Amino acid sequence: MTKATIAGLALLLAASPWADAQNADRKLQGVRQNGNTLEIATSDGRYLVKPYSSNIVETTFIPNGERFDPRSPDSHAVILAPGQVPVTLKDEGARLSFATPGISVTVERQPFRISYAYKGRPLVAEKRGYQAGKDLEAIEFALEDGEALYGAGARAVGMNRRGHRFQLYNKAHYGYGNRSELLNYTIPVALSSKKYAIHFDNPRTGWLDFDSRKDGSLRYEVTGGRKTYQVIAGDSWDEVMAGYTGLTGRQPLPPRWAFGNFASRFGYRSELEARAVVDKFIDEKIPLDAIVLDLYWFGKEVKGTMGNLDWDRATFPNAEKMMADFRKKGVKTIVISEPFVLTTSGRWQEAVERNVLATDASGKPYVYDFYFGNTGLIDLYKPEGRDWLWNIYRKLKQGGVSGWWGDLGEPEVHPAALRHATGAANDVHNIYGHDWARLIAEGYKKEFPNERPFILMRAGYSGSQRFGMIPWSGDVSRSWGGLQSQMEISLQMGMQGLAYMHSDLGGFAGPVLDDELYVRWLQYGVFQPVFRPHAQEEVAPEPVFRSARAKVLARAAVWLRYAMLPYNYTIAFDNSQTGMPLMRPLMFVETDPGKPFDRAGTYLWGPDFLVAPVVEAGATRQEVYFPNSGSVWFDFHTDAVHRGGVLEVVKPEEAHIPVFVRAGAFVPMAQVVQTTRDYTGRQIDLHYYHDASVAASSGKLYDDDGETAGAFEQGKYEIVRFVSKYAGGTLDIGFDTETGKQYAAAARGFSVKVHNVQARPRAVTIDGRAVAASWNARHKLLEVRVPARKGQDAKLAIVL
């Protein structure tokens, strides 16, 4: 950073709301650089500032009287190791600058103040910094006027969450509708419209205050623990997402079957019923990839049996054969489990004898009552608890279970007096679900290293995505309000690394029979990460049991979901590599801050789709904002053209929700199969959305066997890249294939469908040779078949 840049930054700071920032009683006593760490001594403690990369820096405050062991940082979220980043420390008299090529930290001497900038652009500053109160410790930052805030986990309060004070205590909210201030995932991270994030690296319970007092303050308040935070910044949201997920870990690519359809309800009461449901999906030609068994698999009653964690042989007499038969039909079996062991369960005495449970002050199992019965809680923080639970999972897996559903993992009832091996209940409450997922992920890595686990969890923490966690939004009400809150929840969680947040399609709570609501929720579900209808059994959540018209519309939604498998799998691969979520808010691409991008009702699905779910009964009009002035969007169903930078009113159709595709997009699609087991990817329908305004574009198709863990890293993959160029009336589309060294390549063909071709082309060639092409004058659609070949590298030229 040059002297001129530092001087300019100082002027910006002086004119900003940060000018009054920092605790006036805090005095600077000394500064020294220890390798890549800046150590700042103050009158009440010391700061340690160290970069992880040029766009991530970590700050820790250690109050006088507290000890800090840098060799044992005790982070449950961060996995990135601090890098050897070039840093410079400059003393400018009144201030010091500790700068990487990206983030710089400025320390004002008098009054003492720490602030952060990225490439000379001010980000944020500590306001009063660390403060110790009677019950809570806090770190306070100064915000700019007009700065929007996102994050704090799963909430439904509006996309811009500034003005709220959020409790950091994972907790279920049964039957919530269009608003909920506290749900199952409370993530201690704040993201700013200024393209930075602050992650507070401490899982203890507390509060995250997004300027609720309207005094321009961001406050992190906690019951104790580390006073550590990381600032992540970038020039774009892509860089912020890459930085945050690089810090806390990226989501491994789930098994391909996870992108199919699930049969799920609370719940299937017998093997006979489960078999009948799977067969009905097949008979009705509604694709299916998994069946989810709720708590009746281990007991006939809702209450009194939790903790059995073994098949009830009276109702599931041949469970292993059932699962084997399902597998032959391409259907996987997922079972629920909970971390509670009831005193009336078949495993209670075993759990006590093996020291599995959390305890009271005397060391005896802590026993208490909750909805399901009198219970103890598995202590995941001692080896006896972890080993006991994993041994149960191993046996179930060996019997045929393919996926795991962890319910009530907040934990739902977690008394403060309960003790875990590593501390009190409130010390680990927010990471219990996180460590439950860790148990399964690490078990697979050790004992089933070639398989991708499926881990559906109701609670988690920063970085839970790296364990392959699939979060869902809890027990939402079966209501239009319940549907209205889901886009915000998924978008916000995707921004916080947990990109597979999704809802029980159709809603969960309440015996509401509303076919319009049900269908609209499933139509939205096509464009959310996991397609899983689930509800209480009074009203069937499976499309095969709905009215004739609802079934037709639901089947169409499921078929579209399966047709989009190549595209969805590709954006899931991108998420595993870059951290970019599958569902993305409009602000990720909108270049004009004055436009209405700060809304959840319209969002991006991957880089190419614009989705506007219908969330009101009987809707006859729908507002859709098309981002980016000068861009072009096509109606996915009619190819009608829409211009970017415009807020339009469109008319919803019964058969589908409004969905649009950006000009220049490559969208790989497939023929519908009954189960993803039958998908090969050897013949792809490749849609290209042509517009003369797009001179060049690109896309890709990612493929692997759909089940091997780390397939990409092992070279067991294939990527087909597509490029387009348009100049002088000729559209060129090129293919280039990257085949992993351990991948058994096979011939792959494409049916290229070029949209918005206004007249019959004068010539169409592949690799310089004329080929037949079909042009539909009504739909302005050109179709050209590219013959299958290994290492596809065809060059398609269309003279328009």
Side-chain angles (χ1 to χ4, degrees), residues 364-383:
K364 296 179 180 179
Y366 191 103
V367 179
Y368 54 101
D369 293 326
F370 80 139
Y371 175 80
F372 296 93
N374 186 249
T375 194
L377 178 69
I378 299 171
D379 190 352
L380 297 176
Y381 299 93
K382 56 186 176 184

Side-chain angles (χ1 to χ4, degrees), residues 124-138:
V124 70
E126 288 194 1
K127 191 172 186 178
R128 287 187 290 172
Y130 171 76
Q131 304 155 69
K134 180 181 178 182
D135 300 313
L136 296 170
E137 299 173 283

Side-chain angles (χ1 to χ4, degrees), residues 43 48 116 135 150 263 305 321 331 348 414 418 440 478 558 600 602 645 688 735 740 742 755 766:
S43 54
L48 302 177
Y116 301 86
D135 300 313
Y150 315 95
T305 61
K321 186 176 188 306
V331 177
W348 172 254
H414 201 191
L418 179 149
I440 300 172
R478 265 199 268 216
V558 176
T602 305
Y688 178 71
F735 297 77
Q742 302 299 318
H755 296 249
I766 295 178

Side-chain angles (χ1 to χ4, degrees), residues 461-477:
Y461 178 65
S462 311
S464 290
Q465 69 273 0
R466 68 178 180 265
F467 304 129
M469 181 185 285
I470 307 288
W472 93 97
S473 59
D475 295 341
V476 60
S477 67

Side-chain angles (χ1 to χ4, degrees), residues 668-719:
M669 299 181 70
Q671 296 300 307
V672 174
V673 290
Q674 181 62 32
T675 163
T676 60
R677 178 202 59 190
D678 300 331
Y679 170 81
T680 68
R682 297 307 172 200
Q683 184 61 46
I684 296 293
D685 291 340
L686 181 63
H687 295 258
Y688 178 71
Y689 289 82
H690 167 67
D691 189 78
S693 65
V694 180
S697 191
S698 63
K700 67 174 177 287
L701 168 74
Y702 174 81
D703 197 18
D704 58 26
D705 67 6
E707 58 187 21
T708 299
F712 178 72
E713 291 74 15
Q714 296 179 51
K716 299 177 179 179
Y717 70 92
E718 191 164 84
I719 299 174

Side-chain angles (χ1 to χ4, degrees), residues 592-743:
D592 184 349
K595 295 294 185 178
F597 61 80
D598 211 1
R599 54 173 65 195
T602 305
Y603 64 89
L604 298 164
W605 177 244
D608 301 305
F609 283 88
L610 185 70
V611 183
V614 177
V615 296
E616 295 181 353
T620 58
R621 63 191 305 276
Q622 179 94 351
E623 281 193 350
V624 178
Y625 176 67
F626 295 89
N628 291 344
S629 180
S631 65
V632 174
W633 296 85
F634 294 95
D635 188 301
F636 182 50
H637 300 281
T638 69
D639 277 358
V641 174
H642 300 265
R643 301 294 171 182
V646 177
L647 180 65
E648 286 192 32
V649 174
V650 302
K651 182 181 179 181
E653 301 291 337
E654 180 193 30
H656 55 78
I657 59 175
V659 178
F660 308 89
V661 188
R662 68 172 181 86
F666 286 96
V667 180
M669 299 181 70
Q671 296 300 307
V672 174
V673 290
Q674 181 62 32
T675 163
T676 60
R677 178 202 59 190
D678 300 331
Y679 170 81
T680 68
R682 297 307 172 200
Q683 184 61 46
I684 296 293
D685 291 340
L686 181 63
H687 295 258
Y688 178 71
Y689 289 82
H690 167 67
D691 189 78
S693 65
V694 180
S697 191
S698 63
K700 67 174 177 287
L701 168 74
Y702 174 81
D703 197 18
D704 58 26
D705 67 6
E707 58 187 21
T708 299
F712 178 72
E713 291 74 15
Q714 296 179 51
K716 299 177 179 179
Y717 70 92
E718 191 164 84
I719 299 174
V720 185
R721 293 184 173 87
F722 319 117
V723 295
S724 72
K725 292 183 180 179
Y726 180 68
T730 297
L731 173 65
D732 293 312
I733 294 176
F735 297 77
D736 183 62
T737 299
E738 174 188 333
T739 302
K741 293 182 179 179
Q742 302 299 318
Y743 187 76

